[in-house]
Amino acid sequence: MDITQFPSWQRLNSLACRMQGRHLRELFAEDPARAARFSVELPEFLFDFSKNLIDDEVFVNLLQLARDADLEGWRDAMLSGAPINCTEGRPVLHAALRGGLPQPVVLDGDSVDAQAAAELGRLKEFVNLLHNGAVTGCTGRRITDVVNLGVGGSHLGPAMAIEALRAYRRDDVRVHFVSNVDGAQLADTLATLDVETTLFVVSSKTFTTTETVTNARSALRWFGDLAPRAELLRQHFVAVTAKPERAIEFGMAPQRIFRFWDWVGGRFSLWSAIGLPIAIAVGFDNFRALLDGAASMDRHFRETPLEGNAPVLMALVSLWYCTFMGYPAHAILPYEQALHMLPAYLQQAEMESNGKSTTRAGEEADYATGPLIWGMLGINGQHAFYQYLHQSPEVVPADFIGSATPGHALPGHHEILLANMLAQSQALMNGVGREQVETELAAKGLAVDEIEKLAPYKVHRGNRPSNTILLRKLDPHSLGALIALYEHKIFAQGVILQIYSFDQWGVELGKGLAAALQPKLTSGDASGQDASTAGLINYYQRVTAGAAALEFAG
């Protein structure tokens, strides 16, 4: 049944109109227990969603909408291995990679859990050998630097996690990332490395990703005549892919190929062998703790009633704003330096998943299915775009994320950091009214006419909603739980809004067009292109031809 036809949906539509006229200050004044009722405490963090424009009636109808959408049924189907990625005919089982399934799943006669455990064992063995100095290059020197070549989910997840766990990094092997096909990034990275002690991890689900394969070929050329190609690939390259046969065709040694599977989406793959750079950077035991934290959130998601289920509540609040209240964006604001890459990671995770306009019935959705995700470190954002958050006509709900325990020993810093986080969420909620502004200006000695002129510019309407996630401590376990929290939130929102969250046909479109245009840039043949693209190709040809002529003349 079309989700918009349920009474819960229609009631939420009418409640949205009513809540536009309410203020968060009033909601807190009416209910002294509001913060406690609209909070969930888990072993890893406190999730406070009380600063949202919801009341009991909204809350009840949001929960009913989740039940009308059969969220619990879809959740159980996902975790049992049903092919819920229907447009590609695949199950969605990234939870299996971390031991988060309620029972064993068998696909095509093979145990998913056994496959994941076996590959994890291979990963552990390789990482331990690397840290013990037993992995060497062609000249016999131990590997000291690892460069991950990957893009999208093969880059953002591992890079974000390593930054988040910076306090747990080992110093015997350094990890670097190259994601851009712009050769400048690869050249800059290679300039700091020694060919004899560098290992490349080529991470690509299909092993056909143009950016990654191009970088891998250039990395291979960087070694020059240090050793024959086959030896270089055996000693200095590792592949992570769901298509090992393609890695073998490239020349990779089978024992240096780590596998994950079609039932793992790229943006949900850091728990798989794609997480090899994480295990190298922080050690395998900490990587295992990351997986365990995610598995803990898996259990919470599948076992906790909807009323206290943190991922479900996050999903309901998000769709309440985006789909019913008409707020098209959502900000991710970490107050933790180590989480500086989290906004970019969550941008891919959510927008590549729920950036869809076709429902599961194949119809065009006439409602918003997901917000624009953006953000940056909160302290830096305060001096950049918070002006917009506080006084723009547009309302941007936000997630504030911090930690009760600092990741350093410098006195005084953490209290200032957390005070800013709490102050910003409080200011967005309460604002500053005209009367208070005038009182404050009068106290500063301004004349009445000056107050009249200045006061409108200093008024903050407030009523800007937010969630706050306060971690006990940012460590591998809590990071795993935090990431899985958002994964399940994205899934729940997609189910309720009746879209498929686990394909990404919009990504595939651009790849195909780029492959067709690449030879045209070389040949200069712009036939069959629209006028703009043809003009750009012609301009590129003129510039490169002119540069070549000057070089020849010189």
Side-chain angles (χ1 to χ4, degrees):
M1 182 175 173
D2 182 348
I3 193 66
T4 65
Q5 301 305 307
F6 281 95
S8 56
W9 181 285
Q10 294 161 13
R11 182 62 182 151
L12 286 166
N13 261 333
S14 63
L15 288 171
C17 297
R18 191 190 79 189
M19 293 306 291
Q20 296 281 5
R22 300 301 309 275
H23 200 288
L24 284 164
R25 288 193 305 265
E26 300 170 358
L27 296 176
F28 273 88
E30 293 168 2
D31 182 6
R34 179 180 177 84
R37 290 195 307 109
F38 292 145
S39 292
V40 174
E41 185 171 349
L42 298 175
E44 300 84 7
F45 56 78
L46 174 68
F47 171 54
D48 178 354
F49 62 104
S50 62
K51 294 190 187 77
N52 282 293
L53 279 165
I54 59 174
D55 59 13
D56 288 339
E57 190 174 5
V58 172
F59 190 55
V60 166
N61 278 278
L62 285 171
L63 290 169
Q64 185 58 48
L65 184 68
R67 295 186 176 100
D68 290 338
D70 191 23
L71 174 58
E72 291 159 308
W74 278 86
R75 175 197 61 196
D76 295 344
M78 176 179 72
L79 296 176
S80 68
I84 65 165
N85 179 0
C86 293
T87 64
E88 297 179 302
R90 298 171 182 168
V92 177
L93 287 170
H94 48 272
L97 300 168
R98 55 221 191 192
L101 299 183
Q103 56 193 15
V105 171
V106 175
L107 295 178
D108 300 324
D110 294 319
S111 165
V112 164
D113 306 81
Q115 287 179 308
E119 208 63 19
L120 195 61
R122 293 185 65 225
L123 213 67
K124 178 179 180 178
E125 181 183 12
F126 180 77
V127 169
N128 288 339
L129 288 172
L130 185 64
H131 286 299
N132 291 336
V135 179
T136 62
C138 292
T139 63
R141 294 172 62 190
R142 69 173 292 173
I143 296 298
T144 61
D145 291 271
V146 172
V147 182
N148 187 79
L149 305 177
V151 68
S154 300
H155 162 249
L156 281 170
M160 177 275 294
I162 290 174
E163 285 297 301
L165 300 177
R166 59 198 310 154
Y168 297 84
R169 288 181 194 164
R170 299 177 58 111
D171 57 9
D172 54 343
V173 181
R174 295 174 293 273
V175 177
H176 315 264
F177 287 89
V178 174
S179 60
N180 200 338
V181 75
D182 184 338
Q185 188 185 27
L186 181 61
D188 288 348
T189 302
L190 297 181
T192 67
L193 304 178
D194 185 333
V195 291
E196 295 185 26
T197 61
T198 299
L199 176 79
F200 291 90
V201 178
V202 185
S203 297
S204 171
K205 184 172 183 178
T206 62
F207 221 81
T208 59
T209 308
T210 301
E211 300 92 331
T212 302
V213 173
T214 299
N215 281 329
R217 291 193 178 110
S218 294
L220 188 58
R221 286 193 295 271
W222 176 62
F223 287 95
D225 58 1
L226 180 69
R229 173 187 168 95
E231 187 177 349
L232 287 172
L233 287 168
R234 184 173 65 252
Q235 297 289 111
H236 291 271
F237 284 81
V238 167
V240 180
T241 182
K243 298 291 183 181
E245 66 278 7
R246 291 176 182 164
I248 291 172
E249 288 174 11
F250 187 88
M252 296 288 186
Q255 67 271 22
R256 287 288 183 91
I257 299 173
F258 296 96
R259 188 179 180 189
F260 65 113
W261 301 269
D262 279 345
W263 39 263
V264 181
R267 55 194 175 279
F268 304 103
S269 65
L270 68 84
W271 322 102
S272 71
I274 288 291
L276 174 60
I278 307 172
I280 293 170
V282 302
F284 186 84
D285 288 346
N286 284 320
F287 182 62
R288 179 67 259 182
L290 180 79
L291 304 185
D292 291 342
S296 174
M297 182 56 64
D298 294 336
R299 288 190 294 274
H300 170 79
F301 178 54
R302 73 172 187 259
E303 295 173 0
T304 306
L306 301 186
E307 292 83 354
N309 195 305
V312 173
L313 296 172
M314 284 189 78
L316 291 172
V317 169
S318 178
L319 69 87
W320 167 241
Y321 291 130
C322 182
T323 307
F324 293 98
M325 298 283 279
Y327 302 158
H330 190 100
I332 306 294
L333 307 172
Y335 278 73
E336 186 83 25
Q337 178 65 34
L339 292 176
H340 73 95
M341 286 194 67
L342 185 64
Y345 172 76
L346 293 178
Q347 188 176 65
Q348 185 208 16
E350 182 152 345
M351 295 176 71
E352 194 168 273
S353 297
N354 293 342
K356 311 286 172 60
S357 59
T358 304
T359 69
R360 296 197 301 262
E363 304 292 336
E364 187 79 10
D366 59 358
Y367 48 83
T369 59
L372 182 155
I373 302 295
W374 63 290
M376 67 184 301
L377 283 173
I379 288 293
N380 293 348
Q382 288 178 200
H383 298 272
F385 56 79
Y386 274 39
Q387 167 62 44
Y388 184 96
L389 297 184
H390 282 289
Q391 288 189 308
S392 166
E394 300 296 330
V395 175
V396 181
D399 288 352
F400 289 91
I401 306 168
S403 173
T405 307
H408 57 83
L410 297 174
H413 286 252
H414 201 61
E415 291 76 12
I416 295 171
L417 179 70
L418 279 188
N420 272 273
M421 184 180 83
L422 299 180
Q424 290 296 330
S425 67
Q426 189 179 65
L428 287 168
M429 175 180 73
N430 290 327
V432 182
R434 177 71 179 246
E435 183 178 349
Q436 182 180 344
V437 168
E438 291 177 349
T439 300
E440 291 174 355
L441 292 176
K444 292 179 180 179
L446 271 70
V448 173
D449 60 337
E450 292 178 297
I451 293 174
E452 285 294 317
K453 290 179 182 178
L454 186 56
Y457 301 100
K458 295 178 72 67
V459 169
H460 295 64
R461 290 182 297 172
N463 215 29
R464 311 295 172 111
S466 66
N467 299 311
T468 300
I469 299 171
L470 188 59
L471 301 165
R472 289 179 178 271
K473 179 183 181 181
L474 180 57
D475 60 19
H477 185 95
S478 66
L479 178 66
L482 179 66
I483 298 169
L485 168 75
Y486 277 96
E487 286 183 344
H488 293 316
K489 174 247 183 178
I490 291 164
F491 162 75
Q493 188 165 330
V495 167
I496 296 168
L497 295 175
Q498 296 186 332
I499 57 174
Y500 290 123
S501 298
F502 296 102
D503 57 23
Q504 55 279 328
W505 301 111
V507 176
E508 302 304 320
L509 172 63
K511 289 181 181 179
L513 290 174
L517 283 171
Q518 184 179 337
K520 293 183 177 295
L521 283 168
T522 304
S523 67
D525 175 16
S527 60
Q529 301 301 311
D530 61 87
S532 172
T533 304
L536 292 166
I537 291 172
N538 291 333
Y539 178 77
Y540 169 80
Q541 280 289 315
R542 292 201 313 273
V543 170
T544 53
L550 286 173
E551 183 178 352
F552 178 78

